[in-house]
Amino acid sequence: MQTFKLSLLFIFSFTLAKAQTKISGVLKTTKGIAVANANISLKNSYDGASTDSTGRFAFTTTTTGAATLIYSALNFEKDSVQVNLDHGNLTLNLGIKEALNQLQTVSISAGSFIAGDGKKGAILSSLDIATIAGSRADIFAALQTLPGAQTSFSESGLFVRGGSASETKTYFDGMLVKSPFNATVPDQASRGRLSAFLFKGTSFSAGGYSAQYGQALSSALVLESTDLPEKTTTGISILSVGGGVDQNIRFKNSAITIGGYYYNLSPIYSLIKQQQDYVKAPESMGGNFQYKLKTSPTGMFKIYASYGRTNLSLYSANIDTPAVPKYFSNNNFNIYLNSTYKEYFGNSWKLETGIAYNKDKDAGLLTVNDYSRQDHLLEGKAIVTKSFGQLSNFKFGAETFNTGRLESLNGPARTYNDQISSGFAETDLFLTQKIVVRLGLRGEYSSYLQKYNLAPRSSLSFKTSAHAQVSFAYGRFYQNPEDEYLIIKPTDFEHADHYILKYEINTPNRNFRIEGYYKDYNRLTKIKDGNPDNSGSGYAKGFELFWRDKKSIKNADYWLSYSFLDTKRDFRDFPMMATPSFAAKHTVSVVYKHFIESLNTQFGGTYTFASGRPYVNPNNPVYLADKTQNFNSLSLNVSYLTHVLKQFSVLYLNINNVPGFNQVYGYKYSANGSNRQAIVPAAKRDFLIGILITIGDNTFVR
Amino acid sequence: MKTLMKSITLILVLISFRSFAQNSDPKFLQATKTGLELIATAKGAEDYLKAENHFERIATIATKEWLPSYYAAYCNLYAGYMTADKELKDQYWDKALLEIDKADALSANNSEIYALKGALQFMKMSVDPRTRMYLMGESAASLEKAAVLNPENPRIDLIKGQDIFYTPEAFGGGKAKAKSILESAVAKFTIFKPSNTINPNWGAEAAKALLAQCK
């Protein structure tokens, strides 16, 4: 017992006798800049200190012998040094290396423009897309304010970097959408069918996109649908052109959404004079159904199904025989089905599968001729992704489309059917946090063309500073000729090579990017005496600027895009190389949004300028040598947030072309070339007024 | 005698192990108290970062305790409040979210942890509401879980009240709406007793101060 007491005493006295060592010093970066608020600590002890604004620190410790001094700071790499505490006080000069944080990691970005909520590299949010003045919540109209896209109002679609509308493909959760646009009136662009509110992410790629996407020569528009809605809510929209109701029902791990709409443009057309003489103003109705199930913490199963119908008929001016206006009627019917399943396995494997079906049918009368056209697409797809290292991944997948068209004119019908099967593999390799390389390969086989293609894709990005990066991309892109040529006879794939160079600076509040590109088109479809072949070719080159600023003006946000385009092609029925009518040399758009809190109101404005576009003048021996006047447009919108019957509501007004600029898209000539008629918007000015009410939610969600 | 000594030693060892798990290890307790004093006297972002460093050091030693990571996250939340630079705010709060997840891994189904997580998610949203609207739902889910785990936790209502207080009326916020929730927070603070001297016991003053501004 005595020994026990003694040893206790010994231990106590030893503790008391422990020497205190003072450790002090300074922490600097490798460049000699003091690091403040760094954490200095001794391993396995509570002792330590923080550095002050000059990088200095000091603390005392009772630890003795050899020890490890650890130092760490936000945005720096944790480091340590061995010290010996038996030789009195220590003064240390420490150096620490800068680390890149996640925001500063390089990303693959050549050619692409990402909008999305919580997405890395996103420049716009899904709400930004929905609230652009003039776009009226149409995704395609909104994207026309971004660099690379042309403004269009006489043809549906996105015209990207000298490409025709058919060169841009739309993907819904990775699945190709064959008919993304509503029924079309001659010489007028129509809205996209898919509501901007369906999606949480939009990636608009003007070139150089992933090997995952095929059958697009110029551009891929990748839409990613939202996950489970937060709550059970009812959304009601009442617009000057009709209305809709959506019911969201939220269960614990799943949700159902059922929606329907009815639009009839005849009341508004009686107020706003239209170019065409409508017999029946467009009337459309439709419904959609969504089911989303969270199958596990990381798994998600989704179904989206929609059905829509549109009827319209009109007389338009007949330039050859003014006394007999042209009659046109259209009954459109569309079904779309998309079902996807995504799940992670282990820590590093991810599986994505999907199946989609699209059927679009148009029928009506063209002057005196009965026409009908039916397009279909059935697609199945599976992708496996393996992540490795911290950021890198390798993915491979396969997809197959069954697609085709059936058309008839006054009885006789013709059809074609194609099974396009493809496989791809791609890797995103982060050599360091500053350098990333993407290498991909895609192969396709078309049963109708009986031809193969093999497309290499590559991309390289390099971080030049904390906020800036340089990217380069090269890729080859293949696409089947358009349905209207394929139905005549099978020819061959068209292809384009893209070369892209981009520099960008991104901070949380400001974005600047400049991108230059060169596109080489080959084997474009030409038609001579009704006989298509692949003898066409072309090029497009140009550069684009983008600037967005959310900081300089309080409560305001604006962006500015400029596109310069130099393109010529020999395709379709062109007799020679020429700049196509959808290509303007200069395009500028400015989007401005201002929220005034005291009024609970957001004001928005969009100004668009496009230099004159070429048109065919049969009196000019040079093909497509005449140009229209410059295009100007200024649209305004106002959104007032309020309550209707205690439910959150948004009162919305949009006016297109407020100053009433004279807008000419091109000219149509009579057969003898002596008369011409301008192709102009359906109405000089246009407005939309509406109210959106959300029942069951006390916060503003849309 | 020898066996008695052995068993006493064994008992002593066992007691010390048990008490360590109940966070009455004197060194841990002292270090945590020192950290809480650093928080109590903190005036600006730098002071909170100093306290955060302190708790981070404790967390590396007391690897079984959830409080060091919890308080480190709390310090980062306040350092973010007191910083104007949005990018720095984001970095502090990203770090805080990692720390709160670490605390959650050590103490599952803890109402305090989910309350703080809800506050952090809301603040992350506030940095860029337009692109981060989805965080609103995540924050609401965390706070809801915190309330299920302990409906009497006064910090849940304080955080909810604070979020609504600073949200513009047009977006479903405003002082009038915040008032009843802050009143409930203040009422719950008067009854709330932490189970020991170092468990979370912050927010009573903030709730009163905010409520005063609602009148």
Side-chain angles (χ1 to χ4, degrees), chain A residues 92-108:
Chain A
L92 303 162
N93 277 314
L94 304 173
I96 194 165
K97 256 195 244 159
E98 270 183 74
L100 289 166
N101 65 32
Q102 210 222 331
L103 280 170
Q104 292 168 339
T105 304
V106 65
S107 61
I108 289 168

CSV table of all heavy atoms in Angstrom, one decimal, chain A residues 92-108:
chain,number,residue,atom,x,y,z
A,92,LEU,N,8.7,29.3,-34.8
A,92,LEU,CA,8.6,28.6,-36.1
A,92,LEU,C,8.2,29.5,-37.3
A,92,LEU,O,7.3,30.4,-37.1
A,92,LEU,CB,7.6,27.4,-36.0
A,92,LEU,CG,7.9,26.4,-34.9
A,92,LEU,CD1,6.7,25.6,-34.7
A,92,LEU,CD2,9.1,25.5,-35.3
A,93,ASN,N,8.8,29.3,-38.4
A,93,ASN,CA,8.3,30.0,-39.6
A,93,ASN,C,7.7,28.9,-40.5
A,93,ASN,O,8.4,28.0,-41.0
A,93,ASN,CB,9.5,30.6,-40.4
A,93,ASN,CG,9.8,32.0,-39.8
A,93,ASN,OD1,8.9,32.8,-39.6
A,93,ASN,ND2,11.1,32.2,-39.6
A,94,LEU,N,6.4,28.9,-40.6
A,94,LEU,CA,5.7,27.9,-41.3
A,94,LEU,C,5.2,28.3,-42.7
A,94,LEU,O,4.8,29.5,-42.8
A,94,LEU,CB,4.5,27.3,-40.5
A,94,LEU,CG,4.9,26.8,-39.1
A,94,LEU,CD1,3.6,26.5,-38.3
A,94,LEU,CD2,5.8,25.6,-39.1
A,95,GLY,N,5.2,27.4,-43.6
A,95,GLY,CA,4.6,27.7,-45.0
A,95,GLY,C,3.5,26.8,-45.3
A,95,GLY,O,3.5,25.6,-44.8
A,96,ILE,N,2.5,27.3,-46.0
A,96,ILE,CA,1.3,26.5,-46.3
A,96,ILE,C,0.9,26.6,-47.7
A,96,ILE,O,1.1,27.7,-48.3
A,96,ILE,CB,0.1,26.8,-45.3
A,96,ILE,CG1,-1.0,25.7,-45.3
A,96,ILE,CG2,-0.4,28.2,-45.5
A,96,ILE,CD1,-1.9,25.8,-44.2
A,97,LYS,N,0.5,25.5,-48.3
A,97,LYS,CA,0.2,25.6,-49.8
A,97,LYS,C,-1.3,25.8,-50.0
A,97,LYS,O,-2.1,25.2,-49.3
A,97,LYS,CB,0.5,24.2,-50.4
A,97,LYS,CG,1.8,24.2,-51.2
A,97,LYS,CD,1.9,23.0,-52.0
A,97,LYS,CE,3.1,22.1,-51.6
A,97,LYS,NZ,3.0,20.8,-52.0
A,98,GLU,N,-1.6,26.6,-51.0
A,98,GLU,CA,-3.0,26.8,-51.3
A,98,GLU,C,-3.7,25.6,-51.9
A,98,GLU,O,-3.1,24.9,-52.7
A,98,GLU,CB,-3.1,28.0,-52.4
A,98,GLU,CG,-3.2,29.3,-51.8
A,98,GLU,CD,-3.4,30.4,-52.8
A,98,GLU,OE1,-4.5,30.5,-53.3
A,98,GLU,OE2,-2.4,31.1,-53.0
A,99,ALA,N,-4.9,25.4,-51.5
A,99,ALA,CA,-5.7,24.2,-52.0
A,99,ALA,C,-6.8,24.8,-52.9
A,99,ALA,O,-7.3,25.9,-52.6
A,99,ALA,CB,-6.3,23.4,-50.9
A,100,LEU,N,-7.2,24.1,-53.9
A,100,LEU,CA,-8.4,24.6,-54.6
A,100,LEU,C,-9.6,24.1,-53.9
A,100,LEU,O,-9.7,22.9,-53.6
A,100,LEU,CB,-8.3,24.0,-56.0
A,100,LEU,CG,-7.2,24.6,-56.9
A,100,LEU,CD1,-7.0,23.7,-58.1
A,100,LEU,CD2,-7.6,26.0,-57.3
A,101,ASN,N,-10.6,24.9,-53.7
A,101,ASN,CA,-11.8,24.4,-53.1
A,101,ASN,C,-12.7,23.9,-54.3
A,101,ASN,O,-12.4,24.0,-55.4
A,101,ASN,CB,-12.5,25.4,-52.2
A,101,ASN,CG,-13.0,26.6,-53.0
A,101,ASN,OD1,-13.4,26.5,-54.2
A,101,ASN,ND2,-13.0,27.8,-52.4
A,102,GLN,N,-13.8,23.3,-53.9
A,102,GLN,CA,-14.6,22.6,-54.9
A,102,GLN,C,-15.1,23.6,-56.0
A,102,GLN,O,-15.2,23.2,-57.1
A,102,GLN,CB,-15.8,22.0,-54.2
A,102,GLN,CG,-16.3,20.8,-54.9
A,102,GLN,CD,-17.8,20.7,-55.0
A,102,GLN,OE1,-18.5,21.2,-54.1
A,102,GLN,NE2,-18.3,20.1,-56.0
A,103,LEU,N,-15.4,24.8,-55.6
A,103,LEU,CA,-15.9,25.8,-56.5
A,103,LEU,C,-14.8,26.1,-57.6
A,103,LEU,O,-15.1,26.5,-58.7
A,103,LEU,CB,-16.3,27.1,-55.8
A,103,LEU,CG,-17.6,27.1,-55.2
A,103,LEU,CD1,-17.7,28.4,-54.3
A,103,LEU,CD2,-18.7,27.1,-56.2
A,104,GLN,N,-13.5,25.9,-57.1
A,104,GLN,CA,-12.4,26.3,-58.0
A,104,GLN,C,-11.9,25.1,-58.8
A,104,GLN,O,-10.9,25.2,-59.5
A,104,GLN,CB,-11.3,26.9,-57.1
A,104,GLN,CG,-11.8,28.2,-56.6
A,104,GLN,CD,-10.8,28.7,-55.5
A,104,GLN,OE1,-10.1,28.0,-54.9
A,104,GLN,NE2,-10.9,30.1,-55.3
A,105,THR,N,-12.6,24.0,-58.7
A,105,THR,CA,-12.2,22.8,-59.5
A,105,THR,C,-12.5,23.1,-60.9
A,105,THR,O,-13.6,23.6,-61.2
A,105,THR,CB,-12.9,21.6,-59.0
A,105,THR,OG1,-12.6,21.4,-57.6
A,105,THR,CG2,-12.4,20.3,-59.8
A,106,VAL,N,-11.6,22.7,-61.8
A,106,VAL,CA,-11.9,22.9,-63.2
A,106,VAL,C,-13.1,22.1,-63.7
A,106,VAL,O,-13.4,21.1,-63.0
A,106,VAL,CB,-10.6,22.5,-64.0
A,106,VAL,CG1,-10.4,21.0,-63.9
A,106,VAL,CG2,-10.7,22.9,-65.4
A,107,SER,N,-13.8,22.6,-64.7
A,107,SER,CA,-15.0,21.8,-65.1
A,107,SER,C,-15.0,21.8,-66.7
A,107,SER,O,-14.4,22.6,-67.3
A,107,SER,CB,-16.3,22.4,-64.7
A,107,SER,OG,-16.4,23.7,-65.2
A,108,ILE,N,-15.7,20.8,-67.2
A,108,ILE,CA,-15.7,20.6,-68.7
A,108,ILE,C,-16.8,21.6,-69.1
A,108,ILE,O,-18.0,21.5,-68.7
A,108,ILE,CB,-16.1,19.2,-69.1
A,108,ILE,CG1,-14.8,18.4,-68.8
A,108,ILE,CG2,-16.5,19.1,-70.5
A,108,ILE,CD1,-15.0,16.9,-68.8
